[in-house]
């Protein structure tokens, strides 16, 4: 930087003479000269020389090679593999839901409340969603259509997207979850499947097998539900039937032992006989009194009338004793005990019949209710047959590889420069 030039010297004060030769504004001129003397003099500026041309440094080459390794190389490798080695995959779409047909009973129809409602089984749909992703279904379909052969057809050409046939059932289940995508709406209970395979017919075959196995599972759940709904009613019905059989057998054994079919009918007969004897007793008393009044004491008619009256009275007493304590009825047992035992057995039989009728009605109602709540699988999209390959989505996969590779490189670069600036 050069030295600043020395400031010029101020000119000497000269008096300005007017027309009359005298000094003009002497005091004002001195003030202006003093102000000019105090004003700073500008300093001359010399510009710096231009910057030298930029040159690549080691860190620049490091970032460049890192971009090549972390971004360009993975994208190139992924593009080469996707467009030269990856086998075409075909998709088959299947959609279904679990329905429950709830038909109203005849009582509801008569009462004006009858309706037929088709509702979705939310809980059954949750079970079915997990079943489609389970190892059990994979094993069943593998046994039916040989999944390992289908999925490992292009494994030598496409080892990344193909299935290794030497894998276990766990490996096959994991690969199954990649090839079978399940979309489930818990609100509506709709289940939609996208099944991938290396042949369109095989994709449709796998989708049909999934639908068949799912229908079998739902039918089994429906059968279990019906069995649970009627099991307790069936047990009560069997118990009441055994009780009714025992009551009837006991009543039959009682009749055989006492040689009496219906004690009530026998009682009515005995009561009728007693009533007849009482009528005859009344007639004999009247006849005896008439004869006693008109005949002498030694008249044989008086003795005969007395004898007839005594016989009738003895027979009436005998019939009355049958209904009291010590009365002997058919079979040599006391008549009162026979009647008491018969009434007890009759009450037991009537109670057993009533209980059997109630449990039978409950069983019929439970069975009808179980049948009305049957579940079934309703397909709203039948397994489709693809006409062209849509998978793997090469452009999408390549874009994802490029995006994640670039983000990884950018993050590492930012971390490197942040550490460098901190040092």
């Amino acid at each position: 930087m050069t030295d600043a030039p020395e400031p010029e010297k101020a000119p000497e004060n000269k008096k300005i003479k007017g027309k009359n030769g005298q000094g003009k504004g002497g005091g004002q001129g001195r003030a202006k000269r003093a102000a000019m003397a105090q004003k700073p003099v500008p300093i001359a500026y010399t510009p710096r020389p231009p910057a030298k041309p930029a040159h690549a440094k080691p860190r620049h080459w490091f970032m460049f090679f890192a971009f090549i390794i972390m971004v360009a190389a993975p994208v190139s490798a992924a593009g080469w593999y996707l467009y030269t080695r990856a086998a075409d995959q075909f998709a088959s779409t299947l959609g279904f839901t679990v329905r429950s047909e709830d038909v109203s009973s005849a009582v509801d129809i008569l009462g004006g409340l009858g309706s037929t409602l088709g509702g979705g089984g939310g809980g059954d749909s949750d079970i079915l969603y997990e079943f489609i992703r389970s190892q059990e279904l994979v094993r069943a379909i593998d046994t039916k259509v040989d999944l390992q052969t289908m999925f490992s057809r292009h494994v030598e050409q496409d080892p990344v997207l193909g299935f290794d046939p030497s894998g276990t059932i766990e490996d096959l289940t994991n690969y199954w979850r990649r090839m079978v995508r399940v979309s489930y709406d818990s609100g509506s209970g709709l289940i939609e499947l996208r099944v991938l395979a290396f042949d369109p017919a095989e994709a449709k075959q796998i989708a049909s097998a999934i639908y068949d196995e799912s229908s079998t599972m739902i039918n089994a759940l429906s059968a279990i539900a019906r069995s649970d709904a009627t099991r307790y009613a069936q047990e009560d019905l069997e118990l009441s039937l055994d009780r009714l059989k025992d009551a009837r057998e006991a009543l039959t054994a009682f009749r055989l032992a006492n040689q009496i079919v219906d004690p009530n009918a026998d009682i009515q007969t005995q009561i009728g006989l007693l009533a007849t004897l009482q009528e005859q007793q009344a007639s004999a008393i009247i006849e005896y009194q008439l004869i006693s009044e008109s005949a002498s004491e030694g008249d044989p008619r008086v003795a005969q009338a007395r004898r007839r009256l005594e016989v009738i009275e003895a027979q009436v007493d005998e019939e009355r004793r049958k209904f009291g304590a010590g009365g002997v009825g058919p079979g040599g047992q006391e008549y009162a005990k026979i009647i008491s035992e018969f009434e007890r057995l009759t009450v037991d039989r009537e109670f057993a019949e009533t209980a059997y009728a109630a449990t039978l009605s409950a069983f019929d109602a439970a069975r009808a209710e179980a049948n009305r709540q049957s579940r079934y699988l309703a397909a709203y999209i039948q397994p489709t047959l693809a006409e062209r390959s849509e998978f793997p989505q090469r452009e999408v996969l390549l874009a994802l590889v490029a995006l994640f590779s670039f983000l990884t490189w950018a993050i590492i670069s930012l971390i490197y420069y942040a550490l460098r600036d901190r040092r």
Side-chain angles (χ1 to χ4, degrees), residues 105-125:
S105 63
V107 176
D108 294 335
I109 295 175
L110 293 177
L113 301 176
S115 61
T116 301
L117 301 175
D124 294 334
S125 298

Side-chain angles (χ1 to χ4, degrees), residues 351-379:
F351 177 79
E353 290 175 350
T354 304
Y356 176 75
T359 53
L360 181 60
S361 177
F363 174 75
D364 292 338
R367 184 171 58 183
E369 183 69 18
N371 293 332
R372 287 196 300 269
Q373 294 180 354
S374 61
R375 298 172 178 83
Y376 62 94
L377 204 63

Side-chain angles (χ1 to χ4, degrees), residues 89-150:
Q89 298 176 1
F90 300 86
S92 178
T93 304
L94 169 64
F96 52 82
T97 183
V98 181
R99 306 294 291 176
S100 176
E101 194 69 22
D102 189 3
V103 183
S104 300
S105 63
V107 176
D108 294 335
I109 295 175
L110 293 177
L113 301 176
S115 61
T116 301
L117 301 175
D124 294 334
S125 298
D126 295 337
I127 296 173
L128 189 58
Y129 172 78
E130 296 297 334
F131 175 73
I132 294 173
R133 296 166 49 84
S134 67
Q135 179 178 319
E136 179 183 358
L137 178 65
V138 175
R139 189 185 299 275
I141 295 182
D142 183 35
T143 304
K144 182 181 294 186
V145 301
D146 194 4
L147 288 176
Q148 295 189 11
T149 301
M150 291 182 179

Side-chain angles (χ1 to χ4, degrees), residues 8-25:
E8 297 179 357
K9 295 182 179 180
E12 296 180 355
N13 295 334
K14 295 181 179 180
K15 295 182 178 178
I16 300 175
K17 296 181 179 181
K19 292 180 179 182
N20 52 5
Q22 296 178 354
K24 184 180 182 179

Side-chain angles (χ1 to χ4, degrees), residues 189-237:
L190 300 179
I191 299 177
E192 186 171 335
L193 281 75
R194 187 197 67 194
V195 182
L196 299 180
F198 298 104
D199 184 83
E202 292 178 352
K204 182 178 180 181
Q205 184 180 4
I206 295 173
S208 300
I210 293 174
Y211 181 77
D212 294 339
E213 293 295 330
S214 300
S215 298
T216 302
M217 195 270 291
I218 289 298
N219 293 334
L221 289 178
S222 183
I224 293 173
R226 287 196 299 269
S227 177
D228 291 341
T230 59
R231 183 174 69 248
Y232 297 109
Q234 179 71 30
E235 293 176 356
D236 293 340
L237 180 61

Side-chain angles (χ1 to χ4, degrees), residues 212 260 277 294 336 380:
D212 294 339
I260 186 172
L277 291 174
S294 61
Y380 61 90

Side-chain angles (χ1 to χ4, degrees), residues 61-93:
W61 289 107
F62 171 76
M63 299 306 301
F64 174 75
F65 285 114
F67 180 84
I68 296 297
I69 295 174
M70 300 179 65
V71 180
V75 172
S76 300
W80 171 80
Y81 187 90
L82 288 173
Y83 286 97
T84 60
R85 302 295 299 275
D88 292 337
Q89 298 176 1
F90 300 86
S92 178
T93 304

